[in-house]
């Protein structure tokens, strides 16, 4: 009773609305079997509907889009035009999916059965049964098989046949799937026969390019391959070359040396962190080895890009930004080490020598430029172990032009007397424009006025004395 028939719809009323149109017949493919629906136009004199998608509703094809001009009326004679460029990309990806299925069964084994798929314009996603991730070598072998079938330009054909005949021909069927009788069987050369209702090329050569861009887990025992075909695969190869070149530029090395340069960068950063946590001085960066030239072969370029990305736990598209972030981190670590080196030989022993006594307790209050929180906590532990008297320690460290770190610690005896490092540091942090707190034996705070560290240390002395 709630349904109503719209006899006419004007473009001025519907340009921002989604319109659904059903025709008595249509060349459009409705989404199904993993393949996305077609796009295009439905036109008449002075009328134009922009079709963005086509869906199935029972036996009907529903064209979903926006009315760009004119008045759309029930019973109107129209011309339906599929976006052939987009359709061709979908056909390439769908035919490549069948070839990929064959290649996976050849390399991985007959157990690599399809568990799901999606096909879009020059893009495909294919899920299959397998317990383990594919190795780089297996992925390359799969790509080689697909490339060989593309080079052979094997014919692709489809016929509607009885289900029993399709089974006898060895057509690939999904386990648990219910098929009509008769069925549509798509054949590619002599290597592939699958039951499929989607749109396909007429020969494998029209796939043109094929590129696996990801292999990942979907669930236990199910893996997923994402791949590109045609123009998108070609564009991806260009992006691989451009990204590798950009990474080499950032690292100031040749493309052939990117992996080695990334390895040296990560090693240097780890070494700087270790130095900083141990309180040592700065050391020289490890020297990079140089190759004799650039990486020009695509497979080599792709391998270098993947290896470099894995070293930094990033995707290939994020590699350059990840390198920049690590270089910035390296710069900050070097600045912190240089600041510590300029302040002299700092150690728990030298800091303890600066202590003063308050009511039987040994108090250390000091500025330690560039010191990290970990290093300051380490010094506090060492001072508490080395001191014969109850200890109270507070350190201030300038980290940048607008950043201050404060760390305070109290010995067990002072905590038992009711004193709190959190309360102590809570009185000091506002002096440098910050705040913080923590446990009675250890606390940390931050601030944004390094120029007021001297005032903060004076406040720390006054507070602990009280």
């Amino acid at each position: 009773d709630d349904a109503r028939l719209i006899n006419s719809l004007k473009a001025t009323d519907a340009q921002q609305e989604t319109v659904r149109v059903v025709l008595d017949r249509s060349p459009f493919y409705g989404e199904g079997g993993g393949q996305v629906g077609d796009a295009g136009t439905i036109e008449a004199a002075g009328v134009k509907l922009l079709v963005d998608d086509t869906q199935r509703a029972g036996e009907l094809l529903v064209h979903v889009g926006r009315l760009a001009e004119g008045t759309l009326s029930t019973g109107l004679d129209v011309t339906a035009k599929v976006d052939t460029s987009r359709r061709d990309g979908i056909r390439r990806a769908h035919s490549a999916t069948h070839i990929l299925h064959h290649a996976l069964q050849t390399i991985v084994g007959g157990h690599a059965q399809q568990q799901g798929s999606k096909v879009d314009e020059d893009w495909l996603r294919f899920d299959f049964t397998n317990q383990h991730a594919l190795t780089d070598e297996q992925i390359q072998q799969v790509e080689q098989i697909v490339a060989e079938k593309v080079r052979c330009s094997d014919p692709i054909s489809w016929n509607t046949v009885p289900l029993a005949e399709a089974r006898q021909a060895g057509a690939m069927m999904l386990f648990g799937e219910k098929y009509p009788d008769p069925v549509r069987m798509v054949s590619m050369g002599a290597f592939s026969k699958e039951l499929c209702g989607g749109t396909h090329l007429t020969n494998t050569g029209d796939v043109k390019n094929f590129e696996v861009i990801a292999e990942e887990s979907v669930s236990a025992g199910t893996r997923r391959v994402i791949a590109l075909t045609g123009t998108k695969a070609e564009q991806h190869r260009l992006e691989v070359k451009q990204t590798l070149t950009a990474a080499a530029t950032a690292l100031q090395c040749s493309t052939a040396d990117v992996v080695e340069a990334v390895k040296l960068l990560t090693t240097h950063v780890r070494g700087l962190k270790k130095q900083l946590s141990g309180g040592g001085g700065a050391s020289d960066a490890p020297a990079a080895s140089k190759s004799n030239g650039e990486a020009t072969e695509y497979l080599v370029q792709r391998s270098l890009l993947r290896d470099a990305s894995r070293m930094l736990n990033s995707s290939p598209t994020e590699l350059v930004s990840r390198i920049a972030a690590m270089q910035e981190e390296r710069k900050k670590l070097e600045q912190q080490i240089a600041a510590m080196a300029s302040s002299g030989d700092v150690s728990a022993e030298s800091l303890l020598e600066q202590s003063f006594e308050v009511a039987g307790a040994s108090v250390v209050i000091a500025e330690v430029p560039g010191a990290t929180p970990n290093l300051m906590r380490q010094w506090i532990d060492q001072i508490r172990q080395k001191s014969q008297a109850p200890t109270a320690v507070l350190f201030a460290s300038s980290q940048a032009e607008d950043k201050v770190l404060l760390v305070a610690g109290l010995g067990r005896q002072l905590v038992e007397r009711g004193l709190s490092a959190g309360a102590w540091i809570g009185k000091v942090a506002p002096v440098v424009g910050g705040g913080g707190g923590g446990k009675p034996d250890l606390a940390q705070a931050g601030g944004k006025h390094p120029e007021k560290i001297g005032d903060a240390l004076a406040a720390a002395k006054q507070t602990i004395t009280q």
Side-chain angles (χ1 to χ4, degrees):
D1 292 340
D2 293 332
R4 63 190 178 93
L5 174 65
I6 298 178
N7 290 319
S8 65
L9 189 66
K10 293 183 179 180
T12 53
D13 300 327
Q15 285 180 337
Q16 303 302 320
E17 296 181 10
T18 298
V19 180
R20 294 171 174 82
V21 174
V22 175
L23 307 177
D24 62 345
R25 60 188 184 274
S26 174
F28 284 69
Y29 180 87
E31 181 174 340
Q35 180 175 321
V36 297
D38 277 331
T41 60
I42 294 176
E43 303 177 19
V47 179
K48 189 171 186 178
L49 177 73
L50 305 177
V51 179
D52 300 316
D53 189 18
T54 308
Q55 295 290 320
R56 300 175 189 267
E59 296 299 318
L60 298 179
L61 283 181
V62 182
H63 307 80
V64 184
R66 295 159 287 118
L67 187 58
E69 59 182 82
T71 300
L72 198 61
S73 304
T74 301
L76 183 67
D77 289 333
V78 297
T79 301
K81 299 179 181 179
V82 173
D83 182 341
T84 54
S85 176
R86 181 174 179 273
R87 164 75 76 83
D88 287 344
I90 295 170
R91 292 167 66 213
R92 284 191 291 268
H94 204 154
S95 294
T97 301
H98 287 216
I99 305 173
L100 171 63
H101 196 179
H102 162 74
L104 286 168
Q105 292 207 323
T106 302
I107 298 302
V108 180
H111 66 273
Q113 297 287 331
Q114 179 178 341
Q115 296 299 303
S117 68
K118 184 174 182 179
V119 176
D120 208 328
E121 184 180 2
D122 277 326
W123 180 95
L124 66 93
R125 183 185 71 207
F126 187 80
D127 299 345
F128 63 101
T129 49
N130 198 45
Q131 293 295 327
H132 306 289
L134 299 184
T135 65
D136 288 347
E137 182 181 2
Q138 286 177 315
I139 291 174
Q140 190 168 333
Q141 289 172 338
V142 166
E143 289 177 325
Q144 288 172 347
I145 290 177
V146 176
E148 177 59 28
K149 296 303 180 186
V150 172
R151 280 193 296 270
C152 289
S153 294
D154 287 326
I156 300 175
S157 60
W158 44 91
N159 296 286
T160 300
V161 299
L163 183 58
E165 182 179 328
R167 284 199 178 98
Q168 187 175 4
M172 192 79 67
M173 300 184 188
L174 299 183
F175 179 76
E177 186 79 10
K178 292 183 179 180
Y179 292 100
D181 194 2
V183 292
R184 184 171 183 265
M185 183 172 68
V186 177
S187 303
M188 297 187 180
F191 68 87
S192 174
K193 287 183 174 63
E194 293 195 31
L195 303 188
C196 178
T199 60
H200 284 276
L201 304 168
T202 55
N203 77 85
T204 59
D206 288 337
V207 171
K208 295 181 180 178
N209 303 302
F210 179 83
E211 185 84 9
V212 173
I213 60 170
E215 193 276 344
E216 58 197 23
S217 173
V218 177
S219 60
T222 303
R223 305 295 302 180
R224 170 173 292 171
V225 167
I226 299 175
L228 304 176
T229 58
T231 54
K232 285 186 179 178
E234 185 177 359
Q235 178 62 30
H236 176 76
R237 292 179 181 182
L238 178 61
E239 290 171 357
V240 166
K241 180 179 180 180
Q242 291 173 339
T243 302
L244 187 65
T245 300
T249 300
L251 294 164
Q252 297 183 331
C253 67
S254 69
T255 53
D257 292 324
V258 163
V259 173
E260 179 66 18
V262 167
K263 181 179 179 181
L264 291 173
L265 176 61
T266 56
T267 300
H268 190 203
V269 169
R270 281 197 301 268
L272 291 172
K273 289 179 178 178
K274 187 176 180 181
Q275 277 185 307
L276 204 53
S277 65
S283 65
D284 295 332
S289 60
K290 299 292 183 180
S291 66
N292 294 324
E294 301 286 337
T296 56
E297 294 294 329
Y298 173 71
L299 290 180
V300 174
Q301 292 174 339
R302 186 179 69 175
S303 178
L304 290 169
L305 185 60
R306 285 178 177 176
D307 289 347
S309 300
R310 287 168 181 165
M311 282 186 179
L312 297 181
N313 294 319
S314 72
S315 67
T317 56
E318 298 170 336
L319 176 62
V320 176
S321 61
R322 185 74 180 91
I323 289 172
M326 284 208 70
Q327 290 174 327
E328 181 63 23
E329 182 180 15
R330 178 184 62 186
K331 179 180 177 181
K332 290 181 178 179
L333 290 169
E334 289 173 339
Q335 289 173 343
Q336 290 175 2
I337 290 175
M340 288 180 62
S342 65
S343 64
D345 185 15
V346 180
S347 64
E349 289 80 5
S350 63
L351 291 166
L352 193 54
E353 290 175 359
Q354 304 175 31
S355 66
F356 58 94
E357 184 180 336
V358 179
S362 181
V363 180
V364 177
I365 298 174
E367 179 179 2
V368 283
T372 64
N374 285 338
L375 182 56
M376 287 188 277
R377 286 193 290 266
Q378 180 179 319
W379 282 334
I380 288 172
D381 286 340
Q382 291 173 351
I383 289 172
R384 286 191 291 208
Q385 291 172 6
K386 293 177 181 296
S387 177
Q388 301 298 317
T391 56
V393 185
L394 186 143
F395 293 131
S397 172
S398 56
Q399 301 292 302
E401 292 182 359
D402 59 351
K403 187 174 181 181
V404 178
L405 284 177
L406 302 172
V407 178
L410 298 180
R412 177 179 53 82
Q413 301 95 322
L414 297 184
V415 173
E416 290 174 350
R417 284 168 54 180
L419 278 72
S420 169
W424 185 18
I425 210 168
K427 298 287 187 180
V428 178
V431 179
V432 289
K439 299 178 180 179
D441 64 331
L442 190 66
Q444 181 173 322
K448 54 187 178 181
H449 297 301
E451 71 278 6
K452 294 184 179 181
I453 285 180
D455 295 337
L457 297 181
K461 183 176 181 179
Q462 180 182 4
T463 302
I464 196 65
T465 299
Q466 291 173 345

